[in-house]
Amino acid sequence: MTVEDALQSYVLRLGDNALVIGQRMIERVAGEPELEEELANANFALDYIGQARMLYSYAGELEGKGRGEDDFAYLRDSQEFRNFLMVEQPNGHFGDAIVRQVLFESFYLLQLEQLADCADTRLAEIAARAVKEISYHLRHASQWLIRLGDGTDESHQRVKESLERYWRYAAEFFDGDDVDDWIQRECNGPDLGALAKTWRDNVEALLEQATLPIPDDNLDQTSFSRAGGRQGNHSEYFGFLIAEMQHLQRAFPGANW
Amino acid sequence: MYTQGLDQKGKVVQSSDASESADQLDAFQKRVDAEDKIEAKDWMPAAYRRTLLRQISQHAHSEIIGMQPEGNWLTRAPTLKRKAILLAKVQDEAGHGLYLYSAAETLGVSRDQMVADLLSGKAKYSSIFNYPTLTWADIGAIGWLVDGAAIMNQIPLCRCSYGPYARAMVRICKEESFHQRQGFDIMFELSRGNDEQKAMAQDALNRWWWPSLMMFGPNDSDSKHSAQSMAWKIKRFSNDELRQKFVDVTVPQAEFLGLRVPDDDLSINDKTGHYEFGDIDWQEFYDVLAGNGPCNRQRIEKRGQAQVDGAWVRDAARAYADKHATAAAA
């Protein structure tokens, strides 16, 4: 694996996570429980689309074949995407969206913080900018998780079920491969083992504050956890997300918009 | 975005209530005539309050309902740049809704009540959002025509006699002019594109042109209470004046895009320098206003569903706040 290959794969994965969760958040527009949440959701989704654009542009430059942001977003088939299964899960209700956000962003923020100090200047710059955005998202989502967990009996029950639904997808965050190893070794990137521990500590502390039980499982047991996004083995839901997103580019090949 | 609610047929604004003395009304009118801004705590005629409350809340509802037709293309925006711009626009609309509801609340009605009135059908929103967005070009047409018409209506509102509304409008107008430009830019790109894209742009203009002209409300001869709103300096220009201005500005833009305005009677009057245009189908306008447009039911059902789906979340937030307020007090 060359330097460019490994870095390009890594940057593309980050871009895929950002685009796919951004797309899911966009689906929520005009369906939020409060007007203030409409603003927050659209604003956060916009952050993610912005991150995806920066990451895809950089991935294109690393690849050196002339591909740009829209080529990666619109002209790859679903199995070429390398996002985590967590971020592609359907929206469900508000509590589901909050839990997905908290679990993913608790990881993503740690990852970005490490990348902001990595040896690749361009990636470090993108990460440093994203850290500011994601810290704010995570604070917002965490406050909601606490309110829902410690709100009414109904909200507690609902968000507890959301947590049980999504928890199994978190294992994939820490299931590194040779690209992750390379980034850690050659680029001073994140140590996924250390991140897993910090993630677990942070999430458990938050769940305690939200009066929510930690789901009864062991993330290390692969029989329980769900992974495959890194290999392009997605959920059934994902093909629809991609088909909808890519519709115009596929229907009118080569058109400018 | 705009609301034509002031001009609904058959409703006449009472300019004064029995309890209001001639001296009070006279003093109020003098302040308005002197271009003094009326503020929330100032005395105002009950009818002035009602008129403003109706107009501002309808404007707020229009912003919120307007998120739906545009949101319809957010997931399918053809490039990431277009997606980001459209998302920023939809976010602006939520923001406009928020400050307009706040401005309306200064007149003494809660946001919850206004939303309830929207969902029950008591309050209206701009009829333009009862038309569907069928292709990507509709997103261009909404920005170009609908936001373009909205700006014509809204610029004068920045000088509205009611301070909180006028101030909210200053910020809204700045953002609306970006929205108009992004819409025109979408149309521009389509008009330079392949045959299918050009056809898409023309089709969107065909469908949105007349509803956009209707956004200015009925002809002056049929607009029963414009005079009172003009006297109160809530309105500054008549419906027909604004509509004419919009046509004069927009027709050359359509020509620049190589698109045909769908009006066989459209021609420029060399003496006046203004365009003359065909008759508007007011029956369609009143039908849509009455709830019989293509999407009236769909829009309100979606908004109502969000309200129902979010009830447990709002309850939880209240319960949490109460619990912790009690804990803090103990």
Side-chain angles (χ1 to χ4, degrees):
Chain A
M1 185 162 34
T2 67
V3 177
E4 286 77 13
D5 282 351
L7 194 54
Q8 199 252 2
S9 301
Y10 193 81
V11 169
L12 209 46
R13 292 173 180 190
L14 290 171
D16 288 348
N17 282 335
L19 177 60
V20 172
I21 199 165
Q23 182 78 0
R24 282 291 186 223
M25 292 166 83
I26 283 172
E27 292 171 7
R28 296 186 54 83
V29 166
E32 293 287 341
E34 277 286 13
L35 187 47
E36 285 77 359
E37 287 311 300
E38 286 294 351
L39 279 157
N41 178 63
N43 196 301
F44 295 165
L46 192 54
D47 288 340
Y48 274 119
I49 301 304
Q51 289 169 22
R53 294 181 65 194
M54 286 187 286
L55 290 160
Y56 284 154
S57 298
Y58 186 34
E61 288 168 38
L62 288 165
E63 186 186 53
K65 292 180 184 165
R67 286 205 283 181
E69 57 182 56
D70 290 329
D71 295 300
F72 290 112
Y74 290 93
L75 299 176
R76 285 182 302 155
D77 289 328
S78 63
Q79 288 184 307
E80 295 175 80
F81 280 78
R82 292 290 183 269
N83 54 280
F84 293 130
L85 297 186
M86 175 82 84
V87 298
E88 73 192 46
Q89 295 307 305
N91 282 327
H93 58 59
F94 182 77
D96 289 331
I98 289 296
V99 166
R100 184 182 58 196
Q101 212 78 6
V102 163
L103 295 180
F104 171 65
E105 290 183 338
S106 295
F107 165 77
Y108 187 37
L109 181 59
L110 294 173
Q111 184 186 30
L112 289 168
E113 282 169 350
Q114 297 289 308
L115 290 171
D117 289 326
C118 80
D120 184 76
T121 317
R122 181 81 173 275
L123 180 55
E125 282 169 5
I126 297 172
R129 180 174 158 171
V131 161
K132 291 181 196 154
E133 295 168 345
I134 303 301
S135 341
Y136 185 65
H137 297 196
L138 181 57
R139 197 170 71 197
H140 182 88
S142 299
Q143 285 168 350
W144 266 115
L145 187 67
I146 294 166
R147 277 187 214 118
L148 297 177
D150 191 17
T152 60
D153 290 346
E154 183 189 3
S155 69
H156 180 88
Q157 187 56 32
R158 277 178 181 259
V159 81
K160 180 169 164 282
E161 287 165 13
S162 306
L163 197 58
E164 286 158 4
R165 192 172 307 135
Y166 287 116
W167 187 256
R168 57 182 10 202
Y169 296 104
E172 193 180 17
F173 304 159
F174 310 104
D175 183 17
D177 61 8
D178 51 351
V179 171
D180 294 290
D181 291 344
W182 186 94
I183 287 287
Q184 186 190 346
R185 200 177 56 242
E186 305 294 330
C187 210
N188 189 32
D191 170 353
L192 289 179
L195 248 55
K197 194 184 170 307
T198 313
W199 179 87
R200 185 102 194 187
D201 291 346
N202 292 350
V203 169
E204 287 186 7
L206 178 62
L207 293 181
E208 196 185 328
Q209 221 190 325
T211 70
L212 288 164
I214 295 148
D216 182 22
D217 72 80
N218 182 349
L219 277 180
D220 298 332
Q221 282 177 1
T222 49
S223 59
F224 177 82
S225 65
R226 286 287 170 269
R230 282 288 175 260
Q231 292 75 44
N233 294 323
H234 294 276
S235 57
E236 284 185 347
Y237 311 111
F238 190 58
F240 292 94
L241 180 147
I242 293 298
E244 182 175 345
M245 182 173 72
Q246 297 182 341
H247 152 68
L248 281 171
Q249 289 277 356
R250 300 293 193 177
F252 304 99
N256 289 318
W257 300 93
Chain B
M1 300 191 177
Y2 179 68
T3 162
Q4 75 283 340
L6 265 180
D7 304 304
Q8 281 169 39
K9 200 175 187 179
K11 289 186 189 166
V12 178
V13 172
Q14 298 287 326
S15 61
S16 67
D17 286 14
S19 64
E20 292 165 357
S21 73
D23 286 351
Q24 278 176 313
L25 292 168
D26 192 43
F28 179 80
Q29 190 61 49
K30 283 202 172 93
R31 285 191 65 190
V32 170
D33 291 343
E35 300 286 342
D36 199 4
K37 286 278 179 273
I38 309 301
E39 298 298 337
K41 288 181 179 164
D42 296 347
W43 186 87
M44 62 186 85
Y48 176 86
R49 183 183 298 271
R50 276 197 304 273
T51 301
L52 271 169
L53 191 57
R54 191 174 72 230
Q55 177 165 341
I56 302 172
S57 66
Q58 286 181 356
H59 191 165
H61 297 326
S62 302
E63 298 283 355
I64 300 308
I65 296 292
M67 293 168 71
Q68 290 185 36
E70 298 196 290
N72 184 39
W73 281 89
L74 268 175
T75 57
R76 292 175 291 172
T79 68
L80 292 183
K81 186 179 174 192
R82 292 285 184 206
K83 192 190 283 287
I85 293 170
L86 185 58
L87 191 49
K89 179 178 194 255
V90 170
Q91 190 197 337
D92 283 348
E93 275 146 21
H96 296 175
L98 201 57
Y99 9 105
L100 287 164
Y101 281 127
S102 301
E105 281 186 312
T106 65
L107 293 162
V109 175
S110 70
R111 197 209 297 180
D112 284 349
Q113 183 59 49
M114 288 184 261
V115 171
D117 289 346
L118 169 70
L119 296 177
S120 72
K122 190 178 159 203
K124 302 280 187 216
Y125 54 90
S126 181
S127 284
I128 196 81
F129 301 119
N130 291 316
Y131 291 88
T133 51
L134 303 179
T135 73
W136 172 250
D138 290 18
I139 299 304
I142 286 185
W144 173 37
L145 301 174
V146 175
D147 292 328
I151 291 168
M152 295 288 170
N153 273 313
Q154 289 173 353
I155 296 280
L157 289 174
C158 298
R159 295 189 291 128
C160 167
S161 57
Y162 188 57
Y165 191 30
R167 288 189 291 272
M169 290 315 302
V170 171
R171 180 158 172 193
I172 289 173
C173 283
K174 282 183 192 160
E175 292 175 348
E176 290 292 355
S177 75
F178 275 109
H179 297 177
Q180 197 271 347
R181 270 183 273 169
Q182 71 86 37
F184 186 79
D185 190 59
I186 289 173
M187 296 304 276
F188 181 64
E189 201 62 43
L190 292 173
S191 71
R192 293 193 311 172
N194 60 36
D195 289 348
E196 288 137 318
Q197 288 175 302
K198 285 177 190 160
M200 208 185 269
Q202 181 63 55
D203 169 62
L205 175 57
N206 293 349
R207 285 182 289 108
W208 290 93
W209 175 255
W210 291 107
S212 298
L213 295 193
M214 294 174 198
M215 285 176 69
F216 296 92
N219 291 127
D220 295 350
S221 53
D222 297 322
S223 184
K224 291 186 181 168
H225 50 265
S226 278
Q228 181 61 69
S229 284
M230 295 272 232
W232 278 333
K233 297 194 192 295
I234 295 172
K235 254 178 113 113
R236 298 269 177 174
F237 299 99
S238 78
N239 296 350
D240 286 333
E241 282 167 343
L242 290 167
R243 186 168 16 245
Q244 183 65 52
K245 201 171 162 197
F246 174 76
V247 172
D248 287 344
V249 167
T250 310
V251 171
Q253 293 174 349
E255 285 168 0
F256 177 79
L257 293 171
L259 299 174
R260 185 188 167 276
V261 173
D263 179 356
D264 291 335
D265 298 324
L266 185 74
S267 65
I268 190 139
N269 180 324
D270 292 329
K271 281 186 196 144
T272 63
H274 293 299
Y275 283 92
E276 290 173 356
F277 50 94
D279 291 336
I280 291 168
D281 178 2
W282 290 112
Q283 191 53 49
E284 176 180 326
F285 175 76
Y286 290 116
D287 283 347
V288 178
L289 205 59
N292 299 318
C295 301
N296 299 57
R297 191 173 286 263
Q298 177 187 337
R299 301 286 185 244
I300 286 297
E301 277 176 1
K302 173 148 173 118
R303 185 67 195 83
Q305 194 60 49
Q307 197 68 6
V308 169
D309 290 346
W312 69 274
V313 176
R314 295 188 299 275
D315 288 346
R318 256 190 303 274
Y320 178 83
D322 289 348
K323 239 185 262 186
H324 289 266
T326 315

